[in-house]
Amino acid sequence: MLEALRSSINKIPREKMRFISALNLKRVIFIFSGCVLCAASPAKISDHPQRNPVTSDDVRTAATAISESIKNAAPIAKNDAGCINGTDNRDSEICAQWMTVDAARDAAIYGLISVVVGVIGTIFLLLTFWQTRSTSRAELRAYVSIKPDHLIIKDRGLGGFSVGVKMRNGGNTPAYEVVHYGSIAIMTVEAATDYFERAVERPQGMGAAFTLHNGDEAEGGIDGPADVNVIDLVDLSNDEKFLFVFGVTEYRDVFRVARSTQFCFSLGVGIFGDIEQRMNAEGPMHQVGGLEWRLSPFHNSAK
């Protein structure tokens, strides 16, 4: 039987044998070994005689079929790369493997792009949330401003001055722990500019802390030095010097953030032209209202 199989295989042309891959050869050996084992195995013990015994003709027929299968096997060219990237050669196993690799690579790239897009979207979402939060807080916080109202002249000016102020909350929520500090000074514009360009110490005096509701106003007062130089009064009446009232208002908004407003105002020109008549009109203390207070170009800020 082996001789019959060998003779059948020898009939295969040599040029065909060169194209048989290692995989096909293994399959042939496996099939042939199965046939030999079936032929060599002892007959099963049975009361009935074997109906279809394996004969040499059967083995010869199987060998012929194997040789014919080998002859008809499609040869694989040595330079067959399977497929070119981007093509679809469904008859090639190598092409299928490469297409699987390409699909896995593309899936990984798309997955990475999705992750990057998701991260960028999350960042923009957080930025939008932060901007919305900041805008909401800016709309809801308290805004306390302060402005001088009237002037009090003490002892014909020699006893100093006091200024009544009004504080107003123009925000949408109450302002808590509101206090204000302030002072009064008589100096030229040049001296005031130089003074406020340097670090200004916190003015003396403090009002009692209170809560200022949104839309409400509160009155306060700022006292200047207890005595004033006569020369300063003369220069003040001649409009060579000006009376400055300055200070700071501190408070906390509804978000418990510390806020402050710096202020500085001066009286307009010609206010003290008739200072002696005004001081002598009502005795040692004279209150002057309806004054023109000008906003100074320095020491005015808010945070």
Side-chain angles (χ1 to χ4, degrees):
M1 289 185 290
L2 294 176
E3 290 297 332
L5 179 61
R6 186 180 296 107
S7 63
S8 298
I9 295 176
N10 289 334
K11 293 179 181 180
I12 301 174
R14 295 293 180 179
E15 59 274 9
K16 288 287 186 176
M17 290 298 293
R18 285 199 300 266
F19 299 110
I20 298 176
S21 63
L23 180 60
N24 293 332
L25 183 57
K26 290 181 181 180
R27 292 175 180 175
V28 171
I29 295 173
F30 178 76
I31 296 173
F32 177 73
S33 300
C35 293
V36 172
L37 291 176
C38 291
S41 62
K44 182 178 180 182
I45 301 175
S46 175
D47 296 337
H48 302 281
Q50 187 175 1
R51 294 181 181 180
N52 298 317
V54 179
T55 63
S56 59
D57 293 335
D58 295 333
V59 175
R60 188 178 296 108
T61 301
T64 302
I66 293 173
S67 63
E68 291 297 329
S69 298
I70 295 174
K71 290 179 183 180
N72 297 327
I76 300 178
K78 293 182 179 180
N79 58 351
D80 181 16
C83 62
I84 302 174
N85 187 20
T87 62
D88 185 7
N89 186 4
R90 296 179 180 272
D91 295 332
S92 174
E93 294 183 359
I94 300 178
C95 181
Q97 295 175 4
W98 276 112
M99 291 182 67
T100 303
V101 173
D102 293 341
R105 179 197 59 193
D106 294 340
I109 293 175
Y110 293 147
L112 179 60
I113 293 175
S114 299
V115 171
V116 172
V117 171
V119 171
I120 295 175
T122 302
I123 292 175
F124 276 105
L125 181 62
L126 292 176
L127 291 176
T128 303
F129 172 76
W130 182 261
Q131 184 65 31
T132 304
R133 177 178 179 271
S134 300
T135 302
S136 299
R137 286 200 168 196
E139 293 176 350
L140 294 175
R141 58 160 287 192
Y143 290 91
V144 177
S145 60
I146 187 169
K147 183 177 181 180
D149 183 34
H150 57 269
L151 176 68
I152 299 176
I153 303 173
K154 303 176 183 179
D155 193 16
R156 301 180 181 181
L158 296 176
F161 302 90
S162 293
V163 176
V165 296
K166 286 187 177 181
M167 292 166 284
R168 175 179 174 80
N169 181 3
N172 294 319
T173 53
Y176 302 98
E177 303 175 20
V178 181
V179 295
H180 66 283
Y181 309 83
S183 185
I184 300 172
I186 299 174
M187 57 184 123
T188 62
V189 176
E190 293 77 10
T193 303
D194 180 68
Y195 176 78
F196 288 108
E197 284 182 351
R198 295 182 280 109
V200 180
E201 297 182 359
R202 173 173 290 178
Q204 300 297 321
M206 179 184 72
F210 64 98
T211 298
L212 184 60
H213 293 278
N214 51 304
D216 289 352
E217 288 186 350
E219 294 184 353
I222 297 177
D223 293 327
D227 54 345
V228 177
N229 193 314
V230 177
I231 298 178
D232 290 336
L233 292 177
V234 174
D235 294 338
L236 191 62
S237 61
N238 295 331
D239 294 327
E240 296 180 4
K241 293 182 180 180
F242 300 91
L243 186 143
F244 291 90
V245 53
F246 58 93
V248 61
T249 302
E250 296 178 350
Y251 59 97
R252 292 187 179 273
D253 61 16
V254 70
F255 304 104
R256 312 309 298 173
V257 178
R259 306 287 183 180
S260 64
T261 302
Q262 291 183 336
F263 61 92
C264 182
F265 293 87
S266 64
L267 279 176
V269 178
I271 298 299
F272 289 93
D274 56 347
I275 189 171
E276 293 185 0
Q277 291 82 355
R278 294 198 178 197
M279 289 188 297
N280 294 329
E282 298 182 5
M285 185 170 295
H286 180 59
Q287 177 173 320
V288 182
L291 300 175
E292 179 188 356
W293 294 96
R294 299 183 303 180
L295 189 67
S296 300
F298 34 72
H299 197 68
N300 278 287
S301 63
K303 64 178 181 179

PDB file of all heavy atoms in Angstrom, residues 78-115:
ATOM      1  N   LYS A  78       6.001  32.996  -4.671  1.00  0.00           N
ATOM      2  CA  LYS A  78       6.981  33.349  -3.644  1.00  0.00           C
ATOM      3  C   LYS A  78       6.939  34.829  -3.290  1.00  0.00           C
ATOM      4  O   LYS A  78       7.183  35.212  -2.154  1.00  0.00           O
ATOM      5  CB  LYS A  78       8.381  32.978  -4.134  1.00  0.00           C
ATOM      6  CG  LYS A  78       8.596  31.489  -4.281  1.00  0.00           C
ATOM      7  CD  LYS A  78      10.012  31.196  -4.726  1.00  0.00           C
ATOM      8  CE  LYS A  78      10.258  29.696  -4.857  1.00  0.00           C
ATOM      9  NZ  LYS A  78      11.631  29.390  -5.291  1.00  0.00           N
ATOM     10  N   ASN A  79       6.614  35.672  -4.266  1.00  0.00           N
ATOM     11  CA  ASN A  79       6.585  37.120  -4.032  1.00  0.00           C
ATOM     12  C   ASN A  79       5.192  37.646  -3.713  1.00  0.00           C
ATOM     13  O   ASN A  79       4.919  38.825  -3.841  1.00  0.00           O
ATOM     14  CB  ASN A  79       7.131  37.857  -5.248  1.00  0.00           C
ATOM     15  CG  ASN A  79       6.334  37.525  -6.502  1.00  0.00           C
ATOM     16  OD1 ASN A  79       5.496  36.635  -6.474  1.00  0.00           O
ATOM     17  ND2 ASN A  79       6.625  38.234  -7.604  1.00  0.00           N
ATOM     18  N   ASP A  80       4.259  36.726  -3.313  1.00  0.00           N
ATOM     19  CA  ASP A  80       2.903  37.154  -2.978  1.00  0.00           C
ATOM     20  C   ASP A  80       2.903  37.835  -1.608  1.00  0.00           C
ATOM     21  O   ASP A  80       3.164  37.188  -0.590  1.00  0.00           O
ATOM     22  CB  ASP A  80       1.963  35.950  -2.983  1.00  0.00           C
ATOM     23  CG  ASP A  80       0.522  36.364  -2.669  1.00  0.00           C
ATOM     24  OD1 ASP A  80       0.229  37.569  -2.764  1.00  0.00           O
ATOM     25  OD2 ASP A  80      -0.275  35.474  -2.336  1.00  0.00           O
ATOM     26  N   ALA A  81       2.615  39.149  -1.565  1.00  0.00           N
ATOM     27  CA  ALA A  81       2.565  39.894  -0.304  1.00  0.00           C
ATOM     28  C   ALA A  81       1.186  39.887   0.317  1.00  0.00           C
ATOM     29  O   ALA A  81       0.941  40.552   1.311  1.00  0.00           O
ATOM     30  CB  ALA A  81       3.013  41.334  -0.533  1.00  0.00           C
ATOM     31  N   GLY A  82       0.274  39.159  -0.261  1.00  0.00           N
ATOM     32  CA  GLY A  82      -1.071  39.087   0.293  1.00  0.00           C
ATOM     33  C   GLY A  82      -1.972  40.136  -0.307  1.00  0.00           C
ATOM     34  O   GLY A  82      -2.874  39.833  -1.064  1.00  0.00           O
ATOM     35  N   CYS A  83      -1.731  41.387   0.003  1.00  0.00           N
ATOM     36  CA  CYS A  83      -2.503  42.492  -0.567  1.00  0.00           C
ATOM     37  C   CYS A  83      -1.770  43.781  -0.288  1.00  0.00           C
ATOM     38  O   CYS A  83      -0.952  43.875   0.616  1.00  0.00           O
ATOM     39  CB  CYS A  83      -3.917  42.548   0.017  1.00  0.00           C
ATOM     40  SG  CYS A  83      -3.946  42.838   1.794  1.00  0.00           S
ATOM     41  N   ILE A  84      -2.101  44.768  -1.085  1.00  0.00           N
ATOM     42  CA  ILE A  84      -1.545  46.100  -0.891  1.00  0.00           C
ATOM     43  C   ILE A  84      -2.478  46.874   0.031  1.00  0.00           C
ATOM     44  O   ILE A  84      -3.687  46.678   0.015  1.00  0.00           O
ATOM     45  CB  ILE A  84      -1.391  46.820  -2.243  1.00  0.00           C
ATOM     46  CG1 ILE A  84      -0.497  45.980  -3.171  1.00  0.00           C
ATOM     47  CG2 ILE A  84      -0.811  48.217  -2.069  1.00  0.00           C
ATOM     48  CD1 ILE A  84      -0.401  46.538  -4.567  1.00  0.00           C
ATOM     49  N   ASN A  85      -1.902  47.738   0.841  1.00  0.00           N
ATOM     50  CA  ASN A  85      -2.703  48.511   1.794  1.00  0.00           C
ATOM     51  C   ASN A  85      -3.790  49.297   1.059  1.00  0.00           C
ATOM     52  O   ASN A  85      -3.522  50.031   0.124  1.00  0.00           O
ATOM     53  CB  ASN A  85      -1.801  49.477   2.564  1.00  0.00           C
ATOM     54  CG  ASN A  85      -2.562  50.163   3.680  1.00  0.00           C
ATOM     55  OD1 ASN A  85      -3.604  49.691   4.106  1.00  0.00           O
ATOM     56  ND2 ASN A  85      -2.030  51.273   4.156  1.00  0.00           N
ATOM     57  N   GLY A  86      -5.023  49.072   1.461  1.00  0.00           N
ATOM     58  CA  GLY A  86      -6.150  49.759   0.847  1.00  0.00           C
ATOM     59  C   GLY A  86      -6.914  48.918  -0.138  1.00  0.00           C
ATOM     60  O   GLY A  86      -7.962  49.323  -0.613  1.00  0.00           O
ATOM     61  N   THR A  87      -6.408  47.723  -0.488  1.00  0.00           N
ATOM     62  CA  THR A  87      -7.118  46.845  -1.418  1.00  0.00           C
ATOM     63  C   THR A  87      -7.865  45.768  -0.654  1.00  0.00           C
ATOM     64  O   THR A  87      -7.681  45.589   0.546  1.00  0.00           O
ATOM     65  CB  THR A  87      -6.121  46.197  -2.387  1.00  0.00           C
ATOM     66  OG1 THR A  87      -5.202  45.395  -1.639  1.00  0.00           O
ATOM     67  CG2 THR A  87      -5.346  47.264  -3.152  1.00  0.00           C
ATOM     68  N   ASP A  88      -8.719  45.031  -1.361  1.00  0.00           N
ATOM     69  CA  ASP A  88      -9.544  44.000  -0.741  1.00  0.00           C
ATOM     70  C   ASP A  88      -9.388  42.715  -1.551  1.00  0.00           C
ATOM     71  O   ASP A  88     -10.147  42.463  -2.495  1.00  0.00           O
ATOM     72  CB  ASP A  88     -11.003  44.463  -0.709  1.00  0.00           C
ATOM     73  CG  ASP A  88     -11.888  43.471   0.048  1.00  0.00           C
ATOM     74  OD1 ASP A  88     -11.327  42.536   0.634  1.00  0.00           O
ATOM     75  OD2 ASP A  88     -13.123  43.635   0.022  1.00  0.00           O
ATOM     76  N   ASN A  89      -8.404  41.916  -1.219  1.00  0.00           N
ATOM     77  CA  ASN A  89      -8.156  40.635  -1.881  1.00  0.00           C
ATOM     78  C   ASN A  89      -8.653  39.525  -0.972  1.00  0.00           C
ATOM     79  O   ASN A  89      -7.940  39.054  -0.085  1.00  0.00           O
ATOM     80  CB  ASN A  89      -6.665  40.474  -2.186  1.00  0.00           C
ATOM     81  CG  ASN A  89      -6.390  39.220  -2.992  1.00  0.00           C
ATOM     82  OD1 ASN A  89      -7.318  38.504  -3.389  1.00  0.00           O
ATOM     83  ND2 ASN A  89      -5.117  38.950  -3.238  1.00  0.00           N
ATOM     84  N   ARG A  90      -9.890  39.122  -1.177  1.00  0.00           N
ATOM     85  CA  ARG A  90     -10.510  38.160  -0.272  1.00  0.00           C
ATOM     86  C   ARG A  90     -10.016  36.742  -0.470  1.00  0.00           C
ATOM     87  O   ARG A  90     -10.349  35.855   0.307  1.00  0.00           O
ATOM     88  CB  ARG A  90     -12.034  38.216  -0.439  1.00  0.00           C
ATOM     89  CG  ARG A  90     -12.617  39.573  -0.041  1.00  0.00           C
ATOM     90  CD  ARG A  90     -14.116  39.606  -0.226  1.00  0.00           C
ATOM     91  NE  ARG A  90     -14.650  40.909   0.154  1.00  0.00           N
ATOM     92  CZ  ARG A  90     -15.023  41.234   1.383  1.00  0.00           C
ATOM     93  NH1 ARG A  90     -14.914  40.348   2.349  1.00  0.00           N
ATOM     94  NH2 ARG A  90     -15.501  42.431   1.638  1.00  0.00           N
ATOM     95  N   ASP A  91      -9.246  36.480  -1.517  1.00  0.00           N
ATOM     96  CA  ASP A  91      -8.725  35.135  -1.748  1.00  0.00           C
ATOM     97  C   ASP A  91      -7.405  34.895  -1.039  1.00  0.00           C
ATOM     98  O   ASP A  91      -6.847  33.793  -1.119  1.00  0.00           O
ATOM     99  CB  ASP A  91      -8.534  34.909  -3.262  1.00  0.00           C
ATOM    100  CG  ASP A  91      -9.862  34.939  -3.994  1.00  0.00           C
ATOM    101  OD1 ASP A  91     -10.871  34.602  -3.350  1.00  0.00           O
ATOM    102  OD2 ASP A  91      -9.878  35.309  -5.179  1.00  0.00           O
ATOM    103  N   SER A  92      -6.882  35.873  -0.367  1.00  0.00           N
ATOM    104  CA  SER A  92      -5.576  35.746   0.278  1.00  0.00           C
ATOM    105  C   SER A  92      -5.730  35.772   1.786  1.00  0.00           C
ATOM    106  O   SER A  92      -6.334  36.687   2.338  1.00  0.00           O
ATOM    107  CB  SER A  92      -4.654  36.891  -0.172  1.00  0.00           C
ATOM    108  OG  SER A  92      -3.436  36.852   0.543  1.00  0.00           O
ATOM    109  N   GLU A  93      -5.204  34.753   2.454  1.00  0.00           N
ATOM    110  CA  GLU A  93      -5.234  34.720   3.916  1.00  0.00           C
ATOM    111  C   GLU A  93      -4.326  35.787   4.509  1.00  0.00           C
ATOM    112  O   GLU A  93      -4.621  36.389   5.533  1.00  0.00           O
ATOM    113  CB  GLU A  93      -4.819  33.332   4.409  1.00  0.00           C
ATOM    114  CG  GLU A  93      -5.793  32.231   4.035  1.00  0.00           C
ATOM    115  CD  GLU A  93      -5.387  30.896   4.608  1.00  0.00           C
ATOM    116  OE1 GLU A  93      -4.331  30.865   5.286  1.00  0.00           O
ATOM    117  OE2 GLU A  93      -6.101  29.911   4.397  1.00  0.00           O
ATOM    118  N   ILE A  94      -3.195  36.014   3.851  1.00  0.00           N
ATOM    119  CA  ILE A  94      -2.278  37.057   4.334  1.00  0.00           C
ATOM    120  C   ILE A  94      -2.951  38.419   4.262  1.00  0.00           C
ATOM    121  O   ILE A  94      -2.819  39.259   5.153  1.00  0.00           O
ATOM    122  CB  ILE A  94      -0.977  37.037   3.520  1.00  0.00           C
ATOM    123  CG1 ILE A  94      -0.290  35.679   3.667  1.00  0.00           C
ATOM    124  CG2 ILE A  94      -0.048  38.162   3.954  1.00  0.00           C
ATOM    125  CD1 ILE A  94       0.967  35.564   2.862  1.00  0.00           C
ATOM    126  N   CYS A  95      -3.711  38.647   3.186  1.00  0.00           N
ATOM    127  CA  CYS A  95      -4.430  39.918   3.057  1.00  0.00           C
ATOM    128  C   CYS A  95      -5.437  40.083   4.195  1.00  0.00           C
ATOM    129  O   CYS A  95      -5.582  41.166   4.756  1.00  0.00           O
ATOM    130  CB  CYS A  95      -5.136  39.981   1.710  1.00  0.00           C
ATOM    131  SG  CYS A  95      -6.039  41.518   1.436  1.00  0.00           S
ATOM    132  N   ALA A  96      -6.138  38.990   4.523  1.00  0.00           N
ATOM    133  CA  ALA A  96      -7.106  39.069   5.614  1.00  0.00           C
ATOM    134  C   ALA A  96      -6.435  39.415   6.934  1.00  0.00           C
ATOM    135  O   ALA A  96      -6.952  40.198   7.735  1.00  0.00           O
ATOM    136  CB  ALA A  96      -7.853  37.745   5.729  1.00  0.00           C
ATOM    137  N   GLN A  97      -5.260  38.829   7.165  1.00  0.00           N
ATOM    138  CA  GLN A  97      -4.540  39.135   8.399  1.00  0.00           C
ATOM    139  C   GLN A  97      -4.105  40.593   8.432  1.00  0.00           C
ATOM    140  O   GLN A  97      -4.233  41.278   9.466  1.00  0.00           O
ATOM    141  CB  GLN A  97      -3.335  38.211   8.534  1.00  0.00           C
ATOM    142  CG  GLN A  97      -3.708  36.739   8.693  1.00  0.00           C
ATOM    143  CD  GLN A  97      -2.493  35.843   8.707  1.00  0.00           C
ATOM    144  OE1 GLN A  97      -1.372  36.317   8.673  1.00  0.00           O
ATOM    145  NE2 GLN A  97      -2.733  34.535   8.750  1.00  0.00           N
ATOM    146  N   TRP A  98      -3.599  41.097   7.296  1.00  0.00           N
ATOM    147  CA  TRP A  98      -3.187  42.496   7.270  1.00  0.00           C
ATOM    148  C   TRP A  98      -4.384  43.430   7.436  1.00  0.00           C
ATOM    149  O   TRP A  98      -4.287  44.476   8.070  1.00  0.00           O
ATOM    150  CB  TRP A  98      -2.469  42.805   5.949  1.00  0.00           C
ATOM    151  CG  TRP A  98      -1.017  42.451   5.984  1.00  0.00           C
ATOM    152  CD1 TRP A  98      -0.392  41.468   5.293  1.00  0.00           C
ATOM    153  CD2 TRP A  98      -0.009  43.082   6.781  1.00  0.00           C
ATOM    154  NE1 TRP A  98       0.949  41.429   5.599  1.00  0.00           N
ATOM    155  CE2 TRP A  98       1.213  42.430   6.515  1.00  0.00           C
ATOM    156  CE3 TRP A  98      -0.025  44.125   7.685  1.00  0.00           C
ATOM    157  CZ2 TRP A  98       2.406  42.782   7.119  1.00  0.00           C
ATOM    158  CZ3 TRP A  98       1.167  44.488   8.292  1.00  0.00           C
ATOM    159  CH2 TRP A  98       2.357  43.822   8.015  1.00  0.00           C
ATOM    160  N   MET A  99      -5.520  43.058   6.837  1.00  0.00           N
ATOM    161  CA  MET A  99      -6.708  43.895   7.002  1.00  0.00           C
ATOM    162  C   MET A  99      -7.177  43.911   8.448  1.00  0.00           C
ATOM    163  O   MET A  99      -7.660  44.931   8.949  1.00  0.00           O
ATOM    164  CB  MET A  99      -7.823  43.386   6.089  1.00  0.00           C
ATOM    165  CG  MET A  99      -7.539  43.598   4.597  1.00  0.00           C
ATOM    166  SD  MET A  99      -8.898  43.047   3.549  1.00  0.00           S
ATOM    167  CE  MET A  99     -10.144  44.247   4.000  1.00  0.00           C
ATOM    168  N   THR A 100      -7.014  42.785   9.148  1.00  0.00           N
ATOM    169  CA  THR A 100      -7.351  42.757  10.572  1.00  0.00           C
ATOM    170  C   THR A 100      -6.452  43.687  11.366  1.00  0.00           C
ATOM    171  O   THR A 100      -6.902  44.426  12.258  1.00  0.00           O
ATOM    172  CB  THR A 100      -7.234  41.324  11.110  1.00  0.00           C
ATOM    173  OG1 THR A 100      -8.090  40.468  10.346  1.00  0.00           O
ATOM    174  CG2 THR A 100      -7.629  41.261  12.579  1.00  0.00           C
ATOM    175  N   VAL A 101      -5.157  43.659  11.030  1.00  0.00           N
ATOM    176  CA  VAL A 101      -4.203  44.559  11.713  1.00  0.00           C
ATOM    177  C   VAL A 101      -4.547  46.015  11.426  1.00  0.00           C
ATOM    178  O   VAL A 101      -4.539  46.867  12.327  1.00  0.00           O
ATOM    179  CB  VAL A 101      -2.762  44.236  11.273  1.00  0.00           C
ATOM    180  CG1 VAL A 101      -1.787  45.263  11.839  1.00  0.00           C
ATOM    181  CG2 VAL A 101      -2.376  42.834  11.728  1.00  0.00           C
ATOM    182  N   ASP A 102      -4.862  46.314  10.150  1.00  0.00           N
ATOM    183  CA  ASP A 102      -5.216  47.692   9.804  1.00  0.00           C
ATOM    184  C   ASP A 102      -6.473  48.148  10.533  1.00  0.00           C
ATOM    185  O   ASP A 102      -6.576  49.286  10.996  1.00  0.00           O
ATOM    186  CB  ASP A 102      -5.425  47.813   8.295  1.00  0.00           C
ATOM    187  CG  ASP A 102      -4.129  47.610   7.526  1.00  0.00           C
ATOM    188  OD1 ASP A 102      -3.055  47.744   8.145  1.00  0.00           O
ATOM    189  OD2 ASP A 102      -4.192  47.290   6.319  1.00  0.00           O
ATOM    190  N   ALA A 103      -7.463  47.253  10.620  1.00  0.00           N
ATOM    191  CA  ALA A 103      -8.697  47.611  11.321  1.00  0.00           C
ATOM    192  C   ALA A 103      -8.434  47.878  12.798  1.00  0.00           C
ATOM    193  O   ALA A 103      -8.995  48.821  13.382  1.00  0.00           O
ATOM    194  CB  ALA A 103      -9.722  46.495  11.157  1.00  0.00           C
ATOM    195  N   ALA A 104      -7.585  47.053  13.419  1.00  0.00           N
ATOM    196  CA  ALA A 104      -7.255  47.282  14.831  1.00  0.00           C
ATOM    197  C   ALA A 104      -6.516  48.603  15.021  1.00  0.00           C
ATOM    198  O   ALA A 104      -6.774  49.341  15.969  1.00  0.00           O
ATOM    199  CB  ALA A 104      -6.416  46.118  15.363  1.00  0.00           C
ATOM    200  N   ARG A 105      -5.604  48.900  14.077  1.00  0.00           N
ATOM    201  CA  ARG A 105      -4.879  50.170  14.174  1.00  0.00           C
ATOM    202  C   ARG A 105      -5.823  51.357  14.028  1.00  0.00           C
ATOM    203  O   ARG A 105      -5.754  52.332  14.776  1.00  0.00           O
ATOM    204  CB  ARG A 105      -3.805  50.223  13.089  1.00  0.00           C
ATOM    205  CG  ARG A 105      -2.986  51.518  13.067  1.00  0.00           C
ATOM    206  CD  ARG A 105      -2.265  51.655  11.762  1.00  0.00           C
ATOM    207  NE  ARG A 105      -3.214  51.675  10.650  1.00  0.00           N
ATOM    208  CZ  ARG A 105      -2.878  51.540   9.380  1.00  0.00           C
ATOM    209  NH1 ARG A 105      -1.612  51.334   9.054  1.00  0.00           N
ATOM    210  NH2 ARG A 105      -3.811  51.585   8.429  1.00  0.00           N
ATOM    211  N   ASP A 106      -6.723  51.277  13.037  1.00  0.00           N
ATOM    212  CA  ASP A 106      -7.682  52.372  12.839  1.00  0.00           C
ATOM    213  C   ASP A 106      -8.585  52.537  14.057  1.00  0.00           C
ATOM    214  O   ASP A 106      -8.905  53.660  14.465  1.00  0.00           O
ATOM    215  CB  ASP A 106      -8.528  52.099  11.600  1.00  0.00           C
ATOM    216  CG  ASP A 106      -7.695  52.128  10.322  1.00  0.00           C
ATOM    217  OD1 ASP A 106      -6.593  52.709  10.357  1.00  0.00           O
ATOM    218  OD2 ASP A 106      -8.154  51.564   9.306  1.00  0.00           O
ATOM    219  N   ALA A 107      -9.016  51.420  14.646  1.00  0.00           N
ATOM    220  CA  ALA A 107      -9.865  51.507  15.840  1.00  0.00           C
ATOM    221  C   ALA A 107      -9.125  52.178  16.994  1.00  0.00           C
ATOM    222  O   ALA A 107      -9.704  52.976  17.744  1.00  0.00           O
ATOM    223  CB  ALA A 107     -10.333  50.112  16.248  1.00  0.00           C
ATOM    224  N   ALA A 108      -7.815  51.851  17.129  1.00  0.00           N
ATOM    225  CA  ALA A 108      -7.027  52.490  18.196  1.00  0.00           C
ATOM    226  C   ALA A 108      -6.890  53.986  17.959  1.00  0.00           C
ATOM    227  O   ALA A 108      -6.987  54.798  18.888  1.00  0.00           O
ATOM    228  CB  ALA A 108      -5.656  51.829  18.289  1.00  0.00           C
ATOM    229  N   ILE A 109      -6.676  54.365  16.674  1.00  0.00           N
ATOM    230  CA  ILE A 109      -6.539  55.793  16.365  1.00  0.00           C
ATOM    231  C   ILE A 109      -7.843  56.533  16.642  1.00  0.00           C
ATOM    232  O   ILE A 109      -7.867  57.606  17.252  1.00  0.00           O
ATOM    233  CB  ILE A 109      -6.111  55.971  14.899  1.00  0.00           C
ATOM    234  CG1 ILE A 109      -4.682  55.426  14.698  1.00  0.00           C
ATOM    235  CG2 ILE A 109      -6.172  57.441  14.489  1.00  0.00           C
ATOM    236  CD1 ILE A 109      -4.219  55.455  13.258  1.00  0.00           C
ATOM    237  N   TYR A 110      -8.973  55.945  16.198  1.00  0.00           N
ATOM    238  CA  TYR A 110     -10.265  56.576  16.449  1.00  0.00           C
ATOM    239  C   TYR A 110     -10.564  56.661  17.940  1.00  0.00           C
ATOM    240  O   TYR A 110     -11.146  57.646  18.417  1.00  0.00           O
ATOM    241  CB  TYR A 110     -11.364  55.794  15.743  1.00  0.00           C
ATOM    242  CG  TYR A 110     -11.280  55.857  14.229  1.00  0.00           C
ATOM    243  CD1 TYR A 110     -11.685  54.777  13.448  1.00  0.00           C
ATOM    244  CD2 TYR A 110     -10.781  56.985  13.591  1.00  0.00           C
ATOM    245  CE1 TYR A 110     -11.595  54.829  12.061  1.00  0.00           C
ATOM    246  CE2 TYR A 110     -10.685  57.040  12.221  1.00  0.00           C
ATOM    247  CZ  TYR A 110     -11.092  55.962  11.450  1.00  0.00           C
ATOM    248  OH  TYR A 110     -11.005  56.025  10.090  1.00  0.00           O
ATOM    249  N   GLY A 111     -10.162  55.618  18.670  1.00  0.00           N
ATOM    250  CA  GLY A 111     -10.363  55.673  20.121  1.00  0.00           C
ATOM    251  C   GLY A 111      -9.566  56.784  20.767  1.00  0.00           C
ATOM    252  O   GLY A 111     -10.053  57.491  21.650  1.00  0.00           O
ATOM    253  N   LEU A 112      -8.296  56.947  20.318  1.00  0.00           N
ATOM    254  CA  LEU A 112      -7.461  58.024  20.862  1.00  0.00           C
ATOM    255  C   LEU A 112      -8.039  59.391  20.523  1.00  0.00           C
ATOM    256  O   LEU A 112      -8.075  60.294  21.365  1.00  0.00           O
ATOM    257  CB  LEU A 112      -6.045  57.896  20.305  1.00  0.00           C
ATOM    258  CG  LEU A 112      -5.033  58.958  20.757  1.00  0.00           C
ATOM    259  CD1 LEU A 112      -4.862  58.927  22.268  1.00  0.00           C
ATOM    260  CD2 LEU A 112      -3.692  58.747  20.069  1.00  0.00           C
ATOM    261  N   ILE A 113      -8.525  59.547  19.267  1.00  0.00           N
ATOM    262  CA  ILE A 113      -9.125  60.822  18.877  1.00  0.00           C
ATOM    263  C   ILE A 113     -10.362  61.107  19.721  1.00  0.00           C
ATOM    264  O   ILE A 113     -10.593  62.247  20.164  1.00  0.00           O
ATOM    265  CB  ILE A 113      -9.476  60.798  17.381  1.00  0.00           C
ATOM    266  CG1 ILE A 113      -8.198  60.740  16.540  1.00  0.00           C
ATOM    267  CG2 ILE A 113     -10.301  62.024  16.995  1.00  0.00           C
ATOM    268  CD1 ILE A 113      -8.449  60.587  15.060  1.00  0.00           C
ATOM    269  N   SER A 114     -11.153  60.080  19.994  1.00  0.00           N
ATOM    270  CA  SER A 114     -12.350  60.274  20.822  1.00  0.00           C
ATOM    271  C   SER A 114     -11.985  60.719  22.232  1.00  0.00           C
ATOM    272  O   SER A 114     -12.637  61.584  22.812  1.00  0.00           O
ATOM    273  CB  SER A 114     -13.151  58.972  20.871  1.00  0.00           C
ATOM    274  OG  SER A 114     -13.573  58.584  19.580  1.00  0.00           O
ATOM    275  N   VAL A 115     -10.909  60.121  22.787  1.00  0.00           N
ATOM    276  CA  VAL A 115     -10.477  60.510  24.129  1.00  0.00           C
ATOM    277  C   VAL A 115     -10.012  61.965  24.150  1.00  0.00           C
ATOM    278  O   VAL A 115     -10.363  62.743  25.047  1.00  0.00           O
ATOM    279  CB  VAL A 115      -9.361  59.573  24.616  1.00  0.00           C
ATOM    280  CG1 VAL A 115      -8.753  60.089  25.918  1.00  0.00           C
ATOM    281  CG2 VAL A 115      -9.914  58.162  24.836  1.00  0.00           C
TER     282      VAL A 115
END
